[in-house]
Amino acid sequence: MNLFDKDNRFNIANMVTYMNITMGVMAIYFIVKGDFFTAIILAWIGGACDIIDGKLARKYTLSTEFGIQLDSFADFLSFVVMPAFLLFYAVKQYTVVSGLEELVLGLVFIWYIINGLRRLVEFNLKVDVGEVEKYFEGVPTPLGAILLWVLYLLLAYGVITSGYLIAVLVTTIAWSLNSTLKIPHP
């Protein structure tokens, strides 16, 4: 098995992407168990994998349509679903939520996940293999995840104590994912 073969589904870039997926799944497991610290560490490792896989794909000319789709799946899991789970479970742990508030939060996080998925699909429809644009249109999902992690910290340290305020802020972030905001590509 050649790790530098573009046609190998398990080339070095894809292997790092698979590691990102693994970190996202493991993070969700720890969130459900209530171990947010471990989940966040795993999420940051997944984020590092997301940076590394793209650099490897470009350096060794391993960019393929398969790799682009795989990377988007990893982004969906690690930067959309996992942070939504983290913040939803954190609100339930750090605040007292009514049944209605929990329902509203659940619907808002489903809306966030749908918007994150839409953003990734739209991005894939516009991107060419191996090309990197100067600007992102709309907030990229990794930045959306960072914004949710900031909300988590504000919640965990008692700066935000309302599930409804979290719902409004998450709705705003969900909107920004598919907005026309121009975000410079790193």
Side-chain angles (χ1 to χ4, degrees), residues 105-134:
L105 283 165
L107 292 172
V108 164
F109 282 111
I110 289 169
W111 181 243
Y112 178 84
I113 290 168
I114 289 168
N115 275 276
L117 180 59
R118 177 181 164 216
R119 193 236 170 350
L120 290 165
V121 170
E122 293 280 353
F123 180 79
N124 281 0
L125 291 174
K126 293 176 186 174
V127 73
D128 290 324
V129 174
E131 288 190 16
V132 177
E133 294 292 324
K134 187 174 181 179

